[in-house]
Amino acid sequence: MSSAKEDSQSSMKSASTVAALAIAAGSPLAAAGAAPDTALPPGFSVIGAHQIAVRCDEELEQRRKMMANMERHSGAGTILGEFNALTLRTGGFDDPLAVLQNAAPEKETRAAAQACLEKLVPFATEVFQSTRLYARVLALRTNDEQDQSYRRLLLENFEDTGASLPEDKRAQAKAIQDELSTLALQFRQNLNNDATTVAVRAQDVEGTPPSWRDARARDASGNYLVSLDYPSYVTFLETAQNADARQRVWMAFQNRGGQPNLDLLDRALVLRSQLAQIYGYADYASFSLRRKMAGSPQAVADFLQSVKSGVDEVEARELEELRQEKAAIAGVAAQDVRLERWDISFLEHRLKRNRYQVDQEALRAYFPTDASVQFVLRLAERLYGIRFVPREVAVWHPEVRYYEVLEQNAKGEAGDRIGGIYLDLFPREGKFTHAAAFGVRSGSTLARQRPIKALLCNLDRKGLTQRELETLLHEFGHALHGVLSRTRYADQSGTNVRLDFVEAPSQMFEEWGRREAPLHLLGQICPQCPVLSAQQIEQMAEARRFGMGLQYARQWLLASYDLALHTGPPKPALATWEQLEGASRLGHVAGTMMPASFGHIMGGYESGYYGYMWSQVLALDMLSAFDGNLLDAGVGHRYRRIILESGGSRPPEELVEQFLGRKPNAQAFYEEISGRR
Ligand SMILES: [Zn+2]
């Protein structure tokens, strides 16, 4: 996997999980259509560890009161509106708290946020185990499509949480779900707090860019301290000439999370299997996949099989080229060199630089960080007819910026409010180490509440590589999905879609960082920046084609691993990985434990990792609607209205078909993974 692209958060709240009951303060009990949202910019203020603990207890009490009120009624009544109000309350509190857990500067605040989230987690299960509330939703009769769709979602949540189970099994399911949520929080916190650095000697950094060296801390003996956040790790792996040093850094990266996280994962696998059995399913994959587009483990296995046959030869060819490259450097015959996993990034980087004159590090000069962020905002403004206006609001760290998102009126001026977005772009100690879009507030037209998202990234301050620009676009795609959503109910807003569709809008948006016309906008934003020529952009495209086999073979491996873990009886996580990775062309390196940092399968993507590739099928297909003109605002507006605004209120296959005017197909995807697109 191209690691810089890895993200894990964007859709923690799949529409089909109990987590759909997230957090929100304010307007409790406003069953249908609360007060207008006058609170933008939002009242998001950083609260200290002590305040979090106090607020947490009050919050839980208020929620329970709200739920008791809902249970007091019988018959459907205004049940959907009541549920919406409850979701807004819970999401409005839990979502900002999750941001604090991942990004608050003080360790105490992060820990307090986590403790509070752990305390609040069981509430979602309580709600969706309530037979009284289940009965009220069941009693609802409606011909309205949005209401029907939300009713269906709630019923799925009730069924998946145990309301339809006999009492003893319901209690078991609750205990399991509560423990699973806690395990997931602990897993992520272990990774966030892992401050491992690897000391390498001054001669070991040969090959790395001066800007990278300048940004590193040194120890008393003058060694460079390589931390494992992306700007530090990826650049080192790609550019450091000393293979031994690369090996040490690579090993440390593979072992993040360590044995404690492996233990958490193993425990989770046992619990998931038990949960599935309570519901009468053979395994967790069968239980989980019935709520996804794919529908069944067999459908995923078939998909993965066709991916495998699409990339197999391409991967073999690319690895052979890298082996030749390694042999040429060493001045020996190709059959005498062995490719190691810590060679791949380095050799690929070198080959792209030499063959296509594309040096990702050198591209930082073309994509200054600030201009790149403005570029992404400008693109969205053009495509979707919106405006971003910076506002001073309370933030959790001085570097965080906030933009209000406004409708662009006929004169091109800022008009009605749509929502807002926080940007927290740079690495900090203790901060979430990937890139992801977090929810802060869900949108609901019923409650007239506008959505707010937060981007948590780890960008390099000295400019971006093209890949990092793609990552920024990707996460921004998630954020826009949330902010431009206009659904009646918060549980269906934005990224609350089927999990194997959620990556499609974000993956599609990456393309805007690869094509000439959009990249041209960068020159308007930053007149003094060097401009990429058409030839350079074409070379970048060619360089990108190389490595598709490696990238998708890796994605295939991760998705197959995820499916293997959740199919059949529970298996030990590490041994299963050793076996599967061991069967790959580069093999398994003894002593490494990648699953300990595989946050996806402890963060909502369990038996859903294939969804990245499944979404990519739809992303590339939807891209074809632009017919090569990525700045076509007409198509952009249509995309906004049909795909983004609908969120999870309609089935994704229906939305895509309406947008394309035909059934979706996988042709563009198979061209992509074989490097022909
Ligand atoms: Zn994503």
Side-chain angles (χ1 to χ4, degrees), residues 615-638:
S615 291
Q616 182 78 329
V617 170
L618 298 161
L620 293 174
D621 206 13
M622 290 196 292
L623 195 60
S624 67
F626 285 89
D627 198 18
N629 180 7
L630 294 193
L631 294 179
D632 188 332
V635 184
H637 279 60
R638 202 154 53 79

Side-chain angles (χ1 to χ4, degrees), residues 7 10 474-475 478 503 506 612:
D7 62 351
S10 32
H474 176 107
E475 297 311 331
H478 283 305
E503 296 299 328
S506 49
Y612 276 93

